[in-house]
Amino acid sequence: MADNSEFKRARSAEQKNVRLEQIANSAIELFDELPYHEITLTGISDKLDFSRINLYKYFTTKEEIYLYVLLLEEKIWIEDIQKVFEDIGTISVEKFSQLWANTLYKHRRLMRLQALNCIVLEKNATVETLVEFRKEAYKASRSLEKLIQRLFPEFSEKQVIDFLEYQLDYTIGM
């Protein structure tokens, strides 16, 4: 990919994706360094090579950025978990649990962000952003449901969904 960091205005889809990546990376740095309530759009824009006004072309609140970053982190974790289990046909519950927990531990930021999710969803995100977030999160969870069903074919659909909900609750509790 060409170095697009020198453009002033993102015009192409590729340049817009670069901007989104820059915003996400700036927000991630702050999410890793500060408590959520101390993070502001100004703080995020201070880390960017473009103005706060331009930031508003992509996100209007830090909650919208948070949801975007959460979804990115979730997708990265799901890709990782799928790689861990891709060549496994059947597996013991103990081995599965160990691999699953190790992968979650590797993605500690996702666990921290998930813990904030209940708070963030109640504040300052537009309905459109929430709907899009929920659609994307649902798609991601469907791929996990298929993975669990493949590894444990004896599980009912309800057991698979219950497992994913319980593990999410556990993660939030961490």
Side-chain angles (χ1 to χ4, degrees):
M1 180 165 88
D3 180 15
N4 287 318
S5 59
E6 297 300 318
F7 58 88
K8 289 186 186 236
R9 195 173 309 153
R11 295 182 191 272
S12 69
E14 183 181 8
Q15 289 174 336
K16 289 177 183 175
N17 287 335
V18 168
R19 287 289 193 236
L20 289 171
E21 185 177 326
Q22 290 170 330
I23 294 166
N25 289 337
S26 295
I28 286 168
E29 283 181 41
L30 291 174
F31 290 141
D32 287 348
E33 295 169 7
L34 299 170
Y36 181 78
H37 69 276
E38 290 182 19
I39 299 170
T40 63
L41 284 175
T42 301
I44 293 169
S45 67
D46 287 347
K47 291 189 163 285
L48 297 169
D49 65 351
F50 56 93
S51 72
R52 185 170 166 196
I53 302 292
N54 283 332
L55 175 62
Y56 282 117
K57 292 178 182 174
Y58 300 92
F59 301 99
T60 56
T61 67
K62 77 174 179 181
E63 288 78 15
E64 289 179 359
I65 297 172
Y66 163 84
L67 292 172
Y68 181 80
V69 168
L70 175 60
L71 207 50
L72 287 176
E73 292 291 322
E74 207 168 84
K75 287 177 180 180
I76 292 166
W77 171 69
I78 289 171
E79 285 175 16
D80 199 15
I81 204 105
Q82 288 176 329
K83 284 179 190 167
V84 166
F85 292 104
E86 74 184 338
D87 294 329
I88 297 173
T90 57
I91 189 170
S92 71
V93 171
E94 293 79 14
K95 185 65 176 170
F96 169 83
S97 299
Q98 179 185 30
L99 293 171
W100 189 274
N102 288 345
T103 308
L104 274 175
Y105 182 76
K106 183 178 163 187
H107 295 273
R108 289 182 299 279
R109 179 186 301 125
L110 173 63
M111 292 193 303
R112 284 193 313 272
L113 293 174
Q114 281 286 14
L116 292 170
N117 198 16
C118 295
I119 296 166
V120 170
L121 287 178
E122 296 172 5
K123 294 175 113 185
N124 297 333
T126 64
V127 171
E128 295 81 13
T129 300
L130 292 174
V131 167
E132 187 60 29
F133 171 78
R134 293 215 185 254
K135 283 193 318 193
E136 290 298 317
Y138 176 77
K139 278 195 253 180
S141 72
R142 291 294 299 152
S143 67
L144 286 177
E145 288 173 26
K146 290 175 185 174
L147 172 73
I148 302 301
Q149 194 68 64
R150 179 179 63 77
L151 293 171
F152 299 101
E154 69 278 8
F155 282 12
S156 69
E157 184 177 339
K158 181 178 179 349
Q159 287 174 308
V160 171
I161 291 168
D162 285 349
F163 165 76
L164 291 173
E165 287 178 3
Y166 293 150
Q167 83 84 42
L168 178 62
D169 291 343
Y170 177 74
T171 301
I172 290 170
M174 298 284 291

